[in-house]
Amino acid sequence: MTEAVIVLALLLVAVSATAAVAVRDPVRQSLVLAVLGVVLAVLFTVLQAPDVALSQLAVGSALTPLLLLTVRKVRRRGQRGDGGHGDGDGGHGGHGGPAGRRGRESGR
């Protein structure tokens, strides 16, 4: 019976780890990483390592996804702050419409 549970837990780990690698969206990836952390904690519990399972729950399913989302938010703020200022293409001064773009493109 225990061997079947171990095999099932290992299969769940393999599926969730593959999904974590395959997903490209950072929000979904952090969610899949959280699921992977829980599944790994279950595997460690089945393998009779409850202390490692508790550490995995804390780090793998809570802390790591939170850090990923934080890094994503910081990168978005950095990109938003750099674009659209100082180059005149942000729609400022009445030249942002289609006529203004055509006028600039014809002058190049």
Side-chain angles (χ1 to χ4, degrees):
M1 177 68 185
T2 19
E3 292 176 2
V5 174
I6 292 173
V7 169
L8 178 66
L10 284 171
L11 285 174
L12 286 173
V13 167
V15 168
S16 57
T18 303
V21 171
V23 172
R24 294 289 179 206
D25 181 37
V27 174
R28 290 183 180 159
Q29 195 172 35
S30 63
L31 180 67
V32 172
L33 280 175
V35 170
L36 176 61
V38 171
V39 171
L40 280 171
V42 168
L43 176 66
F44 293 142
T45 303
V46 168
L47 293 175
Q48 298 178 355
D51 52 340
V52 179
L54 286 173
S55 298
Q56 179 61 37
L57 273 176
V59 174
S61 63
L63 193 62
T64 303
L66 184 66
L67 286 174
L68 280 176
L69 290 174
T70 304
V71 167
R72 179 176 182 261
K73 187 159 188 126
V74 167
R75 282 187 182 170
R76 272 191 169 178
R77 276 195 190 154
Q79 290 173 353
R80 197 178 342 148
D82 293 339
H85 298 293
D87 58 356
D89 289 339
H92 302 290
H95 299 290
R101 284 190 207 116
R102 273 181 269 162
R104 284 193 305 265
E105 289 172 1
S106 64
R108 289 182 185 170

